[in-house]
Amino acid sequence: MPVAATNPSKNGRLRLGTRGSRLALRQAEAFGADLATRHPGLEVEIVPIRTSGDLGRRETLGAFVRELQEAVRRGDVDCALHCLKDLPTRDAEGLTLAATLPREDPRDAAIVRGDGWSALIPGARVGTGSVRRQAQIRAMRSELSCAPLTGNVDTRLGKLVQGEYEAIVLAMAGLIRLGLAGAWDRSPYAALRLEPFAETEMLPAPGQGLLVAEAREADEATHRLLAPLGDVQADRCARAERAFLHAFGGGCSLPVGGLARVREGRIVLRGRVISPDGARRVEDETSFDLETPEAGGAALAEMLLGRGARELLA
C-alpha cells in the first residue's frame, strides 16, 4: 500500500508497520499522507502486521503491539503506528516513541438501539470488553447488564445491529477517524443513536485518542522524518498519563481512568480509580509544569493510592 510521498536520508522510502484492521489502516494512510506532504518525494510503504490481540490472544500486556515492535526491532519496518492506550507504560528495549500525534476526541460514547441511553431498561445488555468502562457503567446505571464484546469497530457495531446487545461503548476517536461520527446520519448505522459520555460520567483510559509512532532508538534518519508530525502538548500529556497508569501496574485491564490537558501553560491531570462493581471510587485532579509530566502523573497516582485506590484494585 504505497503512499506517494521521501527524503534522501531514508533513500526515498519509509516502511510503516500497522495492524490490519480498517481503522488501523485508515490511521496509517492518514499518517503516511501527512509524511508525504512534509517530505515531498518520500514513498511510504504501509505494512500490515497481525498481532496476538488480532488473533484473539488478548490476555497479556501489549497483545496488540508486540509483533509490531518485534518487526521494528528486526528492521522489517522502520516504525510502527500504535494507539497509545495499547502500549505498555514503559518503552520496549531498543525502541522509543518518536512522535506523538495531536489528540483526537478522547471521550467514550454509547451507541444505542432504540430511544437512547437514558431509555435503556433494567437488564439491558451493554457490550464492552473494558473493565474500566464496565465499572463506570455500573456506577452510572447499576441496573444494566455488562456483557463481553470483542472485535474491530465494524464487528462490534454489527453485533449491535444484529440485536446481540442493546448498547455498546466505543471510543469516539475511532469513530471519527473512520469518518462515521461526523456523518452518522448518513452512515450504515444511522438507525442507532450515538451519545458521547461526559468525562464526569466516564473518564477515558490513559492514552485514549492518542496515536504514537515508535522507532528504533538509534535510527536517527527515521526520527528526523517523524519529528515534524509530533505535537509537544500531546506528548507531555501522554507522558503524564503513562506515568499515572504505570504507578498502578500498567495495562488496559485496570479500572483506571486518566486524562491530561494543557491549560494556561500547565498540565491538568484528572485520575479515577473505581471498584469493578462501580460502588466505590477515588479520584482527584492536579496540575503541574509542562516539563515535569512523569513526576506529575506519578504524584497523582500516589495521592489516590494513599486514599484507598490500592484496596479498590485488589
Side-chain angles (χ1 to χ4, degrees), residues 251-298:
C252 57
S253 60
L254 297 173
V256 175
L259 181 63
R261 284 197 169 92
V262 176
R263 294 178 186 157
E264 299 179 354
R266 290 176 63 80
I267 296 174
V268 179
L269 173 63
R270 172 157 290 276
R272 176 182 298 167
V273 179
I274 187 165
S275 60
D277 64 2
R280 295 171 296 153
R281 73 173 69 185
V282 291
E283 79 177 272
D284 212 329
E285 183 175 284
T286 187
S287 69
F288 40 89
D289 191 82
L290 275 168
E291 301 309 312
T292 58
E294 288 89 354

Side-chain angles (χ1 to χ4, degrees), residues 134-191:
Q134 290 173 4
Q136 294 183 101
I137 289 167
R138 289 170 179 139
M140 283 187 277
R141 301 280 308 272
S142 61
E143 76 281 10
L144 301 180
S145 174
C146 293
L149 175 66
T150 59
N152 59 40
V153 171
D154 292 310
T155 298
R156 296 181 188 207
L157 286 167
K159 291 178 179 180
L160 177 61
V161 170
Q162 292 161 14
E164 295 184 35
Y165 307 89
E166 280 67 60
I168 64 173
V169 179
L170 297 175
M172 278 295 293
L175 298 173
I176 291 169
R177 290 176 181 139
L178 283 170
L180 293 172
W184 192 258
D185 291 343
R186 302 187 301 279
S187 78
Y189 310 110

Side-chain angles (χ1 to χ4, degrees), residues 108-126:
D108 288 302
I111 300 92
V112 191
R113 298 168 61 221
D115 294 328
W117 180 256
S118 63
L120 290 173
I121 64 172
R125 287 168 56 86
V126 181

Side-chain angles (χ1 to χ4, degrees), residues 90 239-248 269 286 288 292-305:
R90 285 290 178 262
R239 293 185 186 194
E241 291 172 26
R242 290 183 89 200
F244 173 73
L245 182 59
H246 183 76
F248 299 107
L269 173 63
T286 187
F288 40 89
T292 58
E294 288 89 354
L300 179 59
E302 287 302 316
M303 185 189 307
L304 298 188
L305 284 166

